[in-house]
Amino acid sequence: MGSICLFLQVWRGLLGERLERSTTPTTKPYATSIPSFIYELLSLSLSLADINEYDRKCKVEPLQRAIKEADSNAWINGRRRDHGFERAMLPVWEGSKINPLSFWTFEDCWNYLRRNDVPYHPLHDVGFSSLGDMHSTRKVPLEKWLSYGGERSGRFEGLKNKDGSDKTECE
């Protein structure tokens, strides 16, 4: 689940038929009309005056709504322990969150993709080790990709939490 401000390639059918055959439920980013939603998000993402409100509208609310619409009480994500100290003790089972890759490394993920011919995002080929929102994701030097926490070092670039600390997660 991401936001409307994700890299455009995500929205261009990267997985083609594989995605069309998927039985994964999808949900709209926000439960308002599309024109007003886009206007509201663009104003939020361009100013980012309230990063918590941006996260709520673009990430938290759509995820909660999708879980409710799917009549589910759990969700699967791709968080891993090697993302950095914030996730160093990440369990596989975390209440309603299931983290099946928590013990995998970035290298394990790439080995799996290659062995199983799984398509990956083309922005990896031009220097993006991890993809988030366009306004806060930067390229990461290749030599940093496999270091502890290096993969996500280009995420939340320049963003701060309300307490002034560096933003590293969606709250």
Side-chain angles (χ1 to χ4, degrees), residues 75-120:
W75 60 285
I76 300 170
N77 67 73
R79 296 180 307 153
R80 302 189 320 270
R81 289 178 169 210
D82 73 334
H83 282 153
F85 75 90
E86 302 90 350
R87 299 178 179 182
M89 301 303 295
L90 187 69
V92 173
W93 298 98
E94 185 183 23
S96 64
K97 297 178 195 171
I98 303 169
N99 308 303
L101 305 179
S102 64
F103 288 91
W104 284 36
T105 65
F106 188 60
E107 189 172 9
D108 292 335
C109 294
W110 279 99
N111 288 337
Y112 182 89
L113 294 177
R114 289 183 188 108
R115 267 195 319 270
N116 295 285
D117 194 30
V118 176
Y120 63 88

Side-chain angles (χ1 to χ4, degrees), residues 110 114 120-129 131 139 142 145:
W110 279 99
R114 289 183 188 108
Y120 63 88
H121 200 292
L123 286 176
H124 288 300
D125 290 337
V126 295
F128 291 89
S129 55
L131 300 172
K139 293 179 181 182
L142 187 58
W145 283 30

Side-chain angles (χ1 to χ4, degrees), residues 34-98:
I34 295 300
S36 65
F37 167 68
I38 290 173
Y39 178 78
E40 188 174 357
L41 281 185
L42 287 176
S43 64
L44 268 174
S45 65
L46 292 176
S47 71
L48 293 176
D50 186 346
I51 193 64
N52 290 332
E53 180 66 6
Y54 173 83
D55 284 347
R56 186 187 68 74
K57 286 189 175 186
C58 297
K59 300 172 184 184
V60 176
E61 190 280 332
L63 174 63
Q64 290 173 342
R65 189 166 24 89
I67 291 169
K68 183 178 179 181
E69 288 173 3
D71 193 26
S72 178
N73 54 9
W75 60 285
I76 300 170
N77 67 73
R79 296 180 307 153
R80 302 189 320 270
R81 289 178 169 210
D82 73 334
H83 282 153
F85 75 90
E86 302 90 350
R87 299 178 179 182
M89 301 303 295
L90 187 69
V92 173
W93 298 98
E94 185 183 23
S96 64
K97 297 178 195 171
I98 303 169

Side-chain angles (χ1 to χ4, degrees), residues 127-129 138-142 144-145 150-155:
F128 291 89
S129 55
R138 303 293 177 262
K139 293 179 181 182
V140 173
L142 187 58
K144 197 171 181 181
W145 283 30
E151 171 192 356
R152 289 180 55 84
S153 62
R155 299 285 296 275

